[in-house]
Amino acid sequence: MGTSLTPEFWRLFAVLLVISMAVTFVLSAALDALALRAQRRHIRRRPTATRMTEASRRPDRSLVRH
């Protein structure tokens, strides 16, 4: 029992294909943007963890010659 693919089927197939491609593209772009934002936020936070305190920035008075 062979069935022929009607023009209506091909139109619906093309519409669904375009919609699925658009959804894939938009989701991919959104997830990429979120990943980049998280990566940039992680890079910004890393130096603050090793930030020197105010006391450690001052020169050691025992090493200063008078």
Side-chain angles (χ1 to χ4, degrees):
M1 182 186 308
T3 57
S4 61
L5 300 176
T6 63
E8 182 183 352
F9 166 82
W10 287 112
R11 269 187 245 118
L12 182 59
F13 175 77
V15 168
L16 291 175
L17 180 65
V18 169
I19 289 172
S20 66
M21 288 171 55
V23 167
T24 301
F25 178 77
V26 169
L27 282 176
S28 175
L31 291 174
D32 189 39
L34 286 174
L36 284 174
R37 181 180 294 175
Q39 185 180 20
R40 287 180 183 159
R41 187 175 297 161
H42 179 70
I43 289 172
R44 275 192 217 140
R45 284 186 184 173
R46 189 180 311 162
T48 59
T50 60
R51 181 180 288 169
M52 295 174 24
T53 63
E54 187 63 36
S56 64
R57 289 185 200 163
R58 288 188 218 126
D60 188 2
R61 297 289 179 198
S62 64
L63 299 174
V64 177
R65 293 175 130 179
H66 291 289

